[in-house]
Amino acid sequence: MAQLRQDYAEFEKRNTVVVVVGPENTAAFTKYFNENQLPFVGLPDPTHAVLKLYGQEIKLFKFGRMPAQLMVDKTGAVRFVCYGHDMTDIPTSAEMLTLIDNLA
């Protein structure tokens, strides 16, 4: 999330809303967002409702949710999906920004 925070202005320039969904309860999620001064939208998902909706995987041997990044356009259509195999397997901000630019 540090990378997203660092590049957040570039997402804003592209009129893009960043939403981070996490497995924590509301109190823990809010505390984390406040302590780390994260500028984007955070959505706690302790019941895994969003996880199930978008097909994000849970692997107990890898300590929970696998990373997933999705790009949803203004009409609600999913335009890009990346399901990571571990916590380091995620597209960079630069890759996501290029995808956004190519949608325009």
Side-chain angles (χ1 to χ4, degrees):
M1 279 194 269
Q3 181 183 12
L4 283 173
R5 180 179 53 212
Q6 177 182 330
D7 298 327
Y8 185 67
E10 290 300 317
F11 288 97
E12 282 190 310
K13 285 180 189 176
R14 290 162 173 84
N15 198 27
T16 301
V17 176
V18 174
V19 179
V20 174
V21 181
E24 297 83 9
N25 64 38
T26 302
F29 204 75
T30 301
K31 181 181 177 191
Y32 180 83
F33 262 68
N34 289 340
E35 286 176 352
N36 292 282
Q37 299 177 344
L38 300 176
F40 30 82
V41 176
L43 176 67
D45 185 30
T47 64
H48 310 295
V50 176
L51 171 145
K52 292 172 188 168
L53 183 64
Y54 289 103
Q56 186 180 18
E57 293 183 303
I58 296 176
K59 295 198 177 182
L60 297 178
F61 295 113
K62 292 193 177 186
F63 306 109
R65 290 184 184 193
M66 292 293 93
Q69 281 187 294
L70 293 88
M71 185 178 303
V72 181
D73 70 16
K74 292 178 182 181
T75 69
V78 176
R79 302 293 297 266
F80 171 80
V81 177
C82 177
Y83 296 112
H85 300 289
D86 61 47
M87 296 312 289
T88 63
D89 187 15
I90 58 171
T92 65
S93 290
E95 291 169 317
M96 297 303 290
L97 292 165
T98 299
L99 287 168
I100 294 165
D101 292 341
N102 289 334
L103 288 176

